[in-house]
Amino acid sequence: MPWIKKEYDCGNCIVITHHFCTRYGSKGKITYKTTNERGEVTEATQRYLEKRAQIKADVIVNRNFKKGDYFITFTFARGMLPDSKEELNRIRRNYFDELRKVYKKHGVALKYYGRLHDEGVRPHFHYVFNNEFNIKDFPEWKYGTPKIETLDSRKHHTIGSYFARGTTKEDKEVKTLHHGGKTYCSQNLERPEPKITKLKGSSWRDVPKNRQGYYVDKSTLENGYTENPYNKGVYRYQSYVLVKCNEKERLNI
């Protein structure tokens, strides 16, 4: 059960985490639980779990999507809300059946990554799609006015983080944390496996150094702690993103 470093190569960036891995080399053993003896998730553990979900989404989005790809929020206008989760899922499935037909007509494969938010907020979907043809050919969304954006030229996109962690959402009917929901993704997405390096301990630098050909995006740097209710341990962790750059970009940082 060592300290480890994980590196996910996403092409234009590398997502890196340092943490204590209670399951590494312990197959079949229960070495980590997310709740205490009362079934409660501590605040520190909740932050860690959210961070882990953020990194997973961040890696997939940055590996598979690029500048110009569509980022669309599908909303429901007042009076158009589905009556149940079953109806909500039926609407999503029907729309994607039509969308697949359009991509097939253009002779390209549909790639998507998205998330449903419906707990305590007005239901809506956020999706990233590969941009292969004009958005006007997309099927009509009959339940509201979708918000359509495209990914910019940044080498590290934070949309995956947004899917996982959410933002504060206010509505006339509710005021709550814009959280949770179900993730949907196509099977043709690349899911990079991390390069794992065993560390001697948690003696890494609070601010990591730049690497040849990369710089540390300090806005992504996070140092923190997580608790393991199983053994009462408190463990340090770190995460950050290295962004690919050329010499001119490096000198301007």
Side-chain angles (χ1 to χ4, degrees), residues 208-235:
K209 292 183 177 180
N210 296 331
R211 183 182 296 183
Q212 180 68 36
Y214 294 85
Y215 69 88
V216 176
D217 182 347
K218 293 183 180 179
S219 68
T220 67
L221 176 61
E222 184 171 341
N223 291 289
Y225 294 86
T226 182
E227 299 174 16
N228 185 341
Y230 182 78
N231 62 12
K232 310 299 183 182
V234 178
Y235 302 103

Side-chain angles (χ1 to χ4, degrees), residues 10-34:
C10 301
N12 285 325
C13 64
I14 301 175
V15 179
I16 297 178
T17 63
H18 294 159
H19 61 95
F20 185 76
C21 187
T22 58
R23 290 186 182 276
Y24 190 89
S26 302
K27 186 176 181 180
K29 299 179 181 179
I30 300 176
T31 55
Y32 188 85
K33 298 176 70 174
T34 57

Side-chain angles (χ1 to χ4, degrees), residues 117 121 126 161-162 164-170 176-179:
H117 292 279
V121 295
H126 299 290
S161 308
Y162 174 73
R165 301 184 75 178
T167 57
T168 299
K169 172 69 176 179
E170 293 190 26
T176 186
L177 182 67
H178 181 176
H179 64 75

Side-chain angles (χ1 to χ4, degrees), residues 37-78:
E37 59 273 10
R38 296 186 297 276
E40 300 168 337
V41 179
T42 66
E43 183 177 345
T45 299
Q46 181 62 40
R47 287 197 302 269
Y48 172 73
L49 293 175
E50 290 177 355
K51 185 65 179 180
R52 189 170 66 180
Q54 170 197 344
I55 289 171
K56 179 180 178 181
D58 219 15
V59 166
I60 292 177
V61 169
N62 280 283
R63 179 72 175 219
N64 291 277
F65 299 97
K66 62 187 185 307
K67 176 185 176 181
D69 283 341
Y70 298 123
F71 176 44
I72 305 177
T73 301
F74 298 96
T75 60
F76 291 86
R78 298 196 181 275

Side-chain angles (χ1 to χ4, degrees), residues 98-114:
E98 294 300 315
L99 187 60
R100 289 186 184 93
K101 292 177 183 177
V102 174
Y103 272 79
K104 185 176 181 180
K105 179 181 178 180
H106 282 271
V108 292
L110 167 64
K111 291 171 51 176
Y112 64 87
Y113 186 90

